Amino acid sequence: MLCCVVLYCLSRLESVGTVTHKRSMTKSSTNTILLISSYSYSYSSSSSSSSSSMDITKKGKVTGKLTVDSVKLDGMNKVSSKALQMLEYVSSQSLAESKAEKAVRAKDYASQLLALATAKQEEAEQTAHKLIDRQSLAEETKEAAQEVKLKSKTQCCTGTIQLKIRGHNLPDLDGWFPGKFNKSDPFFEVYGYNGDVLYKSEAIDSNLNPIWEKTELDIYELTNGNLDTKVRITVYDEDDDDKKEYIGQVLVSVNTMLESSSSSKDGDDETPVHFDIVKGLQTPGGQGHLIVEDANLVDYVDMKQQAQELKKQAEELRMSSYDIEKKSKAAAEEAQNAMVEAKKAERNATVAQDAADEAANTVQELLAAIPEEDMAALSL
């Protein structure tokens, strides 16, 4: 179209002077004017190039190609104002289209940067929230450690132990009375570390191999936190007058009872562990045995050990919060820089759009100034 407009404009020139060809390969203005001389020039253009490439022919044969970047007209006497108007319109229209495309690209680029900056801001906010949570958890764990440590000074452990005990071959303390044909009515008592009775079982009437109900005892009151401390279990025979007759006692630690119960459950021993009932200074034997059928710790906590573990956890959380804090600061800085770049791109897009609008207005003004009879050339 540009070639057609140029040729049309040349036909409107009243006087033509000297024509100088510029043949350098340097890209310059896209407005190229051609002049027919002794050689026949065949014009062809590409939208991707700013220069014009032409075949040089002589007597119908192509002798080469000529790339003309621009042509300068010198010595012009009179030039048709209408032709120049049309040339200016074509040039302005091309420039306006270029600026419009540039504005669109600038807007797209700004939108991409803004989306990236927004994503980085969200990531930074998530990291900041994670930091707050981690710092709060570290502080709570530290306070819990201090609380447990303080509590451990008066109570070194918490939890309970479940015990199921049965007797075996207990002595018959009732059978020798005249007119009595029943056997011993055994029961047992468990003593705490301070010597107080923690538990008294039910009495099993006339039974030398009693199986008592399972019981649950406070582990601290039983052992004062030392599971290797010997626990005293005393066995009695209950008489009709609510008196009790001493049969003997067993001294055994909680750890030993747990081990014997575990061995019985795992089937390691065909015969369960028997704990001899001893009376006074007598040699063990003759007073029967106690068998721990079941022993389990429930919610057992060593307070001192727990305080140490919580303290260690608090320290680990505190150290990890430092790493998160560094990441949070880096993420916030990266998000801020991304937002600055996005705002800069938005400003550049606005400037590009303003330039495109201004160029479009110029085209409209030039178009309005071209007479209607000359518009036919632009549609060629």
Side-chain angles (χ1 to χ4, degrees), residues 165-170 207-212 277 289-291:
I165 299 174
R166 67 184 175 92
H168 179 258
N169 289 337
L170 300 184
N207 195 329
L208 301 182
N209 296 286
I211 300 177
W212 291 286
I277 299 175
H289 312 87
L290 289 183
I291 299 173

Side-chain angles (χ1 to χ4, degrees), residues 65-128:
K65 286 185 176 292
L66 179 66
T67 299
V68 180
D69 293 325
S70 65
V71 176
K72 181 179 179 182
L73 302 179
D74 296 325
M76 302 294 294
N77 295 328
K78 295 181 180 179
V79 179
S80 171
S81 60
K82 294 182 179 179
L84 292 179
Q85 284 180 346
M86 296 178 67
L87 286 174
E88 185 178 4
Y89 164 74
V90 172
S91 176
S92 299
Q93 186 180 35
S94 176
L95 180 62
E97 291 174 353
S98 175
K99 289 187 175 182
E101 292 177 358
K102 182 178 179 182
V104 171
R105 291 194 299 269
K107 286 182 179 179
D108 292 341
Y109 181 62
S111 298
Q112 293 174 2
L113 288 185
L114 182 60
L116 179 62
T118 301
K120 288 185 178 295
Q121 279 187 337
E122 292 177 354
E123 181 181 355
E125 290 175 358
Q126 292 175 357
T127 306

Side-chain angles (χ1 to χ4, degrees), residues 138 141-142 308-318:
T141 306
K142 181 180 178 181
Q308 293 175 352
E309 292 175 353
L310 288 173
K311 182 179 179 181
K312 181 179 178 181
Q313 291 177 10
E315 183 62 21
E316 291 175 351
L317 289 170
R318 186 177 67 86

Side-chain angles (χ1 to χ4, degrees), residues 19-235:
V19 179
T20 302
H21 293 264
K22 182 180 180 183
R23 302 182 184 182
S24 66
M25 298 304 295
T26 304
K27 293 184 178 180
S28 59
S29 172
T30 58
N31 300 326
T32 304
I33 300 178
L34 306 180
L35 181 65
I36 306 301
S37 63
S38 59
Y39 282 85
S40 174
Y41 292 86
S42 175
Y43 177 83
S44 62
S45 64
S46 173
S47 60
S48 60
S49 175
S50 61
S51 60
S52 299
S53 177
M54 298 169 288
D55 291 335
I56 303 175
T57 60
K58 186 174 183 180
K59 295 181 179 181
K61 294 183 180 181
V62 177
T63 60
K65 286 185 176 292
L66 179 66
T67 299
V68 180
D69 293 325
S70 65
V71 176
K72 181 179 179 182
L73 302 179
D74 296 325
M76 302 294 294
N77 295 328
K78 295 181 180 179
V79 179
S80 171
S81 60
K82 294 182 179 179
L84 292 179
Q85 284 180 346
M86 296 178 67
L87 286 174
E88 185 178 4
Y89 164 74
V90 172
S91 176
S92 299
Q93 186 180 35
S94 176
L95 180 62
E97 291 174 353
S98 175
K99 289 187 175 182
E101 292 177 358
K102 182 178 179 182
V104 171
R105 291 194 299 269
K107 286 182 179 179
D108 292 341
Y109 181 62
S111 298
Q112 293 174 2
L113 288 185
L114 182 60
L116 179 62
T118 301
K120 288 185 178 295
Q121 279 187 337
E122 292 177 354
E123 181 181 355
E125 290 175 358
Q126 292 175 357
T127 306
H129 288 312
K130 184 178 180 181
L131 172 62
I132 294 173
D133 294 341
R134 186 61 59 88
Q135 289 176 336
S136 299
L137 182 59
E139 188 64 26
E140 291 173 1
T141 306
K142 181 180 178 181
E143 292 176 358
Q146 294 173 346
E147 183 179 347
V148 172
K149 182 179 180 181
L150 181 63
K151 187 176 181 180
S152 67
K153 294 180 179 180
T154 56
Q155 183 176 346
C156 58
C157 65
T158 59
T160 60
I161 181 171
Q162 293 179 340
L163 288 175
K164 184 174 180 61
I165 299 174
R166 67 184 175 92
H168 179 258
N169 289 337
L170 300 184
D172 184 3
L173 302 186
D174 293 339
W176 63 273
F177 282 103
K180 295 192 68 175
F181 301 99
N182 61 332
K183 301 175 183 178
S184 297
D185 307 318
F187 69 93
F188 69 90
E189 294 177 345
V190 180
Y191 293 80
Y193 76 92
N194 59 359
D196 295 336
V197 176
L198 292 182
Y199 175 75
K200 177 182 177 182
S201 73
E202 77 282 10
I204 306 297
D205 293 339
S206 190
N207 195 329
L208 301 182
N209 296 286
I211 300 177
W212 291 286
E213 294 290 334
K214 181 182 287 189
T215 184
E216 190 166 356
L217 305 173
D218 184 275
I219 197 67
Y220 170 70
E221 294 179 351
L222 185 65
T223 66
N224 193 26
N226 186 355
L227 302 187
D228 290 320
T229 296
K230 299 291 185 179
V231 175
R232 179 157 66 101
I233 303 175
T234 303
V235 183

